[in-house]
Amino acid sequence: MRRCLCLLGLLLVGLPLRGQDRTPLAWVGSEAIDRQTFWERYEQSLWIGRERGRLQDVPKHGFLLALIAERLLAQEGAQMKLDQAPPVRTLLDEIERMLLLDALYRVEIGEPVQVAAREIEEAAWRRLQPVHFAYVVLASSEQAEAARASLLRASDPIAAFDSLQRALGQEGQRRIGRWGDFYEPIERQLYEELKPSEVGRPIEVEGRFYLLQLRERQRRPFVLPADLEQARYETARILRMRRERDRFYAFLSAFGQGKTAQVSQELFERLCRAITERLAIRAEKAPPGRPLRLLAADWAALRAALQDALPEPFIEAPSWRRSLGYVLDRLAHRSFAVVRLGPTVAHRLRGVLWELIAEEFLLEEVRARGLEQRPELRRDLELWRTAYLAWRRQRLFADSLRQAWSDLAYGVRLVRWEAASEQAARSLRSELERGLIVPADTTEELAPLLAEPLRALVVSSEIEQILGPFPERGQWAFYRVLARRKLKPEELEKAVERALQAHIAHLARQAGVRIDLRALEETPVRTAHNLLAVRLLGFGFRLLSAPPVYPLLEWYDLMDRARLYAARLLPAAQEEEQ
C-alpha cells in the first residue's frame, strides 16, 4: 500500500493516484519523458510558479525544461559511472533498502488487511456521537481499585467523582472526543461498557492508572449525508491503521522466532569509545541541555579512526555477515543522539544495532521472495537514480569550474571591434593604434565566460593593451582592456551557473532533444499549490514521494527553437509564422 502525506504549512492534502498515461512529452536521446512521469514530479515536488499553472502554460513548459535538463545531466553522469561510487551509490543503496522493506510490508502486512463495510458503518455512527467524560490518574492499581469502590458506593456518583478530583489535585480534568481519538481500552469503556455517570475499571497506560466516568454520549438528531460519508472515510482509515498495527506486531513476533545474530564485543567496545570521543567534542560546543548528535562529518571521522578494522566482521548471523565498514555506512544514515555522555552511549548504540540487525533479516526475506524485481519498485529506484546522477554531475561540473577559474575570477571592461576577415581586422587595429578610428562602445564581461585565448589574456594584460584579433563565430575581433576588478563570490557563482546552462544546451543539441508542445498543452495539471509529498514507508521509514526538481531553464534560450520543436508539433499560429 502506498501512503502519502502531503504538507502545505499545516494543511494536509491527499493526492489520489492518476491512471497510467505514457504519452511522450519530450524525447531526450532515446529516452522519453512521458505524461505520467511529468504528473508525478509536478504534483509532488515544490516548484515556483505552479500556482499559475491553471492560467497559462509557462509554468508547465518551464517544469518540462527542468526535467529535460535533469535527464541530460543524468545521462552524462551515467556515462561517467557516477552511480557506481559514493555518494550516489551510498544514497541509492539506502533508498533501495527502504523501498525493499516497504514492498515486504505491503505484501505481508498492508495488502492483506481488509475492513468489512458493516464494521465501517457501525464505527462511523459512533464517530458521529462525541463523548464527554471526566477522569483521574492514580499511581497504583490498588489506589485505583479503592477509589472506584468508594465511588460505586456513593449516592451521587458525579458529585463524588468531582470530590475525588479535588482531593487528588486534579480538579476539572474532563475531555470531549470522538470514536477513534482514544486508546482502544478507553474507547471500549466509553462506547460499549459505561452508561452516563458510571465509572469503569482502572485502565493502565504507561504505568499509570486511569479511572473514567462517562458524563454524556451526545446523539445528533439529524446527520447530513456529507457528514456521514466523511465519518465513513475517517473510520475506514482508522480501522485499517489499527489492523495494520496489530498485524505488524504479530508478523514481527513470528518472524523473529529462532533468528539470532552475534555482535563482536571487542569491535562494539572500540566503536562505542570512538563515538563517545566524537560526542565529547560536540559537547564542548553544544549549549547546555541540548542533545548531543553525530553529524555526517563525525561519521567520516569515525571511519578514518577505525580504518584498520573496517573489513573485520562486526555482526554475524547463520546466513549473513556484515563488516564494521558496512555497519558504519548504515549508521551514518540514522539519527544518533544522546542526552548526556556515559552509559547512555552504549545503550543507544545497542538499540540502533538491534534495529539494523532486524532490517538485515527482513531484507534477507525480501530477496528470498524475489520482491526486488517488482516493476513499481524498480521504477521508483530509477526515478531516484536519475535525480541523484543529475545532482552529482551538476555538483562536479560546478566544482571543477570553480577550481579551474580560481585565477580567472575577474570582471573586465572591454572595447570590441570586429571585421569580416583577419586581414581587415589587423588593418583596423593598425588604424586604432595610430588614432585614426573612434573607440567602439564598452562592455563589462566576466573573464571566465570569455572564449579562449582571450580568457587567459584579459587577466594578465596591461590596462589599455590591445588584444587580438581572434576568430569568433565566422568573424574576427580584437579588444582593448580598459579596467579589471576582482569578482565577488556571488558573481563567480553566476558565471558558473551560466556555464552550466551552456553545457546543458550543448548536451541537448547532442541528444537531439525534441518537445511535443501539443501533448504538453493537452496535459492538465490540477495542483494549484506547492506541496511537499512524503511517502510513509513500511517499518517506519519516510521518503519524499518524488525527488526535488532544480529549476535549470536558461539553457532553453541558447537553443534553436526550430530544431527543438518539430514543425508538425508546433501550434498552428506558430506554424504560420515559420
Side-chain angles (χ1 to χ4, degrees):
M1 179 188 69
R2 180 173 293 180
R3 296 168 292 170
C4 290
L5 179 65
C6 303
L7 308 175
L8 174 63
L10 298 178
L11 179 65
L12 299 182
V13 182
L15 290 177
L17 296 178
R18 293 177 182 265
Q20 298 290 312
D21 187 338
R22 298 301 179 190
T23 302
L25 303 184
W27 286 93
V28 184
S30 60
E31 298 181 15
I33 297 177
D34 57 43
R35 187 169 283 156
Q36 187 67 29
T37 300
F38 180 89
W39 276 332
E40 289 174 359
R41 302 295 294 278
Y42 190 92
E43 296 186 351
Q44 298 180 7
S45 299
L46 294 175
W47 180 250
I48 296 172
R50 181 196 298 168
E51 61 275 9
R52 301 191 300 275
R54 294 178 177 178
L55 305 178
Q56 56 182 333
D57 286 338
V58 173
K60 284 197 301 185
H61 188 267
F63 194 80
L64 181 60
L65 293 177
L67 288 181
I68 292 171
E70 178 188 82
R71 189 69 61 90
L72 289 165
L73 291 171
Q75 289 175 351
E76 189 177 38
Q79 292 172 1
M80 299 169 64
K81 299 184 178 180
L82 298 182
D83 55 345
Q84 302 303 312
V88 176
R89 181 70 266 157
T90 307
L91 292 168
L92 290 176
D93 285 346
E94 198 65 24
I95 289 176
E96 184 174 20
R97 289 187 190 96
M98 289 191 287
L99 293 174
L100 287 171
L101 291 173
D102 184 56
L104 178 62
Y105 184 94
R106 283 181 285 162
V107 168
E108 186 66 37
I109 298 165
E111 291 179 359
V113 169
Q114 301 293 333
V115 182
R118 178 185 56 79
E119 296 177 88
I120 295 173
E121 191 71 15
E122 181 180 339
W125 282 105
R126 287 183 175 178
R127 189 161 175 80
L128 290 168
Q129 300 174 12
V131 291
H132 177 200
F133 64 98
Y135 66 96
V136 293
V137 185
L138 298 125
S140 67
S141 60
E142 292 78 9
Q143 290 177 341
E145 289 289 358
R148 180 172 184 265
S150 175
L151 292 170
L152 292 176
R153 293 192 298 268
S155 58
D156 187 344
I158 292 179
F161 201 93
D162 291 342
S163 177
L164 175 63
Q165 285 185 326
R166 288 192 294 272
L168 295 173
Q170 300 178 28
E171 187 175 4
Q173 289 190 153
R174 295 179 178 83
R175 185 176 170 185
I176 298 177
R178 301 183 299 167
W179 181 96
D181 296 341
F182 307 114
Y183 178 47
E184 285 130 281
I186 291 177
E187 186 175 87
R188 281 194 294 272
Q189 276 198 4
L190 296 174
Y191 278 93
E192 299 176 19
E193 300 173 7
L194 299 181
K195 296 178 181 179
S197 79
E198 287 186 345
V199 178
R201 292 191 173 278
I203 298 174
E204 182 181 2
V205 181
E206 295 181 352
R208 298 191 298 175
F209 295 84
Y210 287 73
L211 282 181
L212 313 179
Q213 184 182 58
L214 178 63
R215 294 294 173 89
E216 180 186 10
R217 189 181 296 118
Q218 300 176 7
R219 297 183 182 275
R220 297 171 62 171
F222 179 76
V223 177
L224 294 172
D227 293 340
L228 179 57
E229 188 61 31
Q230 179 66 20
R232 287 172 179 150
Y233 169 78
E234 292 171 354
T235 54
R237 177 179 54 82
I238 293 168
L239 287 169
R240 183 175 179 87
M241 179 184 67
R242 291 178 176 179
R243 297 280 171 80
E244 278 193 29
R245 180 202 58 203
D246 295 341
R247 192 176 186 92
F248 172 73
Y249 290 137
F251 168 75
L252 287 185
S253 177
F255 181 77
Q257 295 296 322
K259 291 182 170 59
T260 60
Q262 184 70 34
V263 175
S264 169
Q265 186 63 27
E266 179 183 353
L267 289 180
F268 176 86
E269 293 174 356
R270 186 175 172 185
L271 176 59
C272 191
R273 287 194 301 270
I275 289 176
T276 302
E277 291 172 3
R278 295 303 304 177
L279 289 172
I281 296 173
R282 292 287 173 196
E284 295 174 358
K285 303 177 182 179
R290 180 168 295 181
L292 306 175
R293 190 179 305 278
L294 290 179
L295 306 179
D298 296 308
W299 293 111
L302 287 169
R303 285 189 65 89
L306 301 169
Q307 184 68 35
D308 61 303
L310 294 182
E312 296 184 20
F314 185 53
I315 304 174
E316 294 186 81
S319 55
W320 51 266
R321 174 184 294 183
R322 300 292 180 260
S323 68
L324 176 61
Y326 175 89
V327 171
L328 280 176
D329 286 341
R330 298 298 315 282
L331 293 178
H333 289 275
R334 295 172 175 271
S335 174
F336 193 99
V338 295
V339 177
R340 63 182 64 87
L341 298 176
T344 54
V345 176
H347 178 75
R348 172 61 181 155
L349 181 58
R350 288 191 185 94
V352 175
L353 289 176
W354 184 91
E355 295 173 0
L356 193 152
I357 291 169
E359 286 177 16
E360 292 298 321
F361 279 118
L362 290 169
L363 286 169
E364 184 181 45
E365 180 71 14
V366 167
R367 294 187 173 96
R369 299 188 186 193
L371 297 180
E372 70 271 19
Q373 301 304 323
R374 283 196 157 196
E376 66 272 20
L377 187 148
R378 306 319 304 176
R379 188 169 181 276
D380 282 346
L381 192 61
E382 185 60 27
L383 191 72
W384 283 96
R385 177 179 176 271
T386 298
Y388 275 128
L389 276 170
W391 161 77
R392 185 58 177 166
R393 178 60 190 129
Q394 181 180 347
R395 288 286 301 272
L396 290 177
F397 184 87
D399 290 345
S400 66
L401 288 186
R402 293 186 190 101
Q403 183 176 0
W405 291 352
S406 59
D407 297 328
L408 299 172
Y410 289 92
V412 291
R413 288 184 62 221
L414 298 169
V415 184
R416 182 179 187 273
W417 292 267
E418 62 182 36
S421 66
E422 182 179 8
Q423 182 179 358
R426 291 192 181 280
S427 176
L428 191 62
R429 172 175 172 167
S430 177
E431 292 180 9
L432 174 64
E433 291 172 335
R434 288 181 288 151
L436 299 178
I437 62 174
V438 178
D441 293 335
T442 62
T443 181
E444 174 80 17
E445 298 286 351
L446 303 181
L449 296 178
L450 294 172
E452 291 286 3
L454 181 61
R455 177 190 300 176
L457 292 175
V458 295
V459 299
S460 59
S461 64
E462 299 291 336
I463 301 302
E464 298 295 333
Q465 182 178 347
I466 298 175
L467 306 174
F470 307 107
E472 292 183 3
R473 297 186 297 275
Q475 293 182 320
W476 289 78
F478 61 93
Y479 300 83
R480 170 175 279 167
V481 179
L482 300 182
R484 183 169 51 241
R485 64 179 179 83
K486 193 73 173 177
L487 288 179
K488 297 177 181 178
E490 58 269 22
E491 291 177 310
L492 183 59
E493 288 306 309
K494 288 182 180 179
V496 170
E497 176 67 19
R498 285 170 57 184
L500 174 64
Q501 300 287 353
H503 180 66
I504 294 172
H506 170 69
L507 295 176
R509 286 188 287 270
Q510 281 189 326
V513 169
R514 294 291 183 271
I515 295 176
D516 188 336
L517 264 184
R518 285 179 176 167
L520 180 63
E521 290 171 353
E522 294 167 0
T523 301
V525 291
R526 64 187 174 196
T527 307
H529 303 284
N530 273 311
L531 302 176
L532 178 62
V534 179
R535 286 180 62 184
L536 303 181
L537 304 179
F539 301 102
F541 295 105
R542 291 164 56 93
L543 180 68
L544 290 177
S545 293
V549 179
Y550 293 92
L552 299 171
L553 309 178
E554 286 77 7
W555 64 272
Y556 174 76
D557 297 328
L558 307 175
M559 298 294 295
D560 181 349
R561 309 298 167 78
R563 293 180 178 274
L564 193 59
Y565 305 110
R568 64 183 180 82
L569 300 179
L570 286 170
Q574 294 187 31
E575 287 179 3
E576 294 174 0
E577 293 177 5
Q578 292 286 329

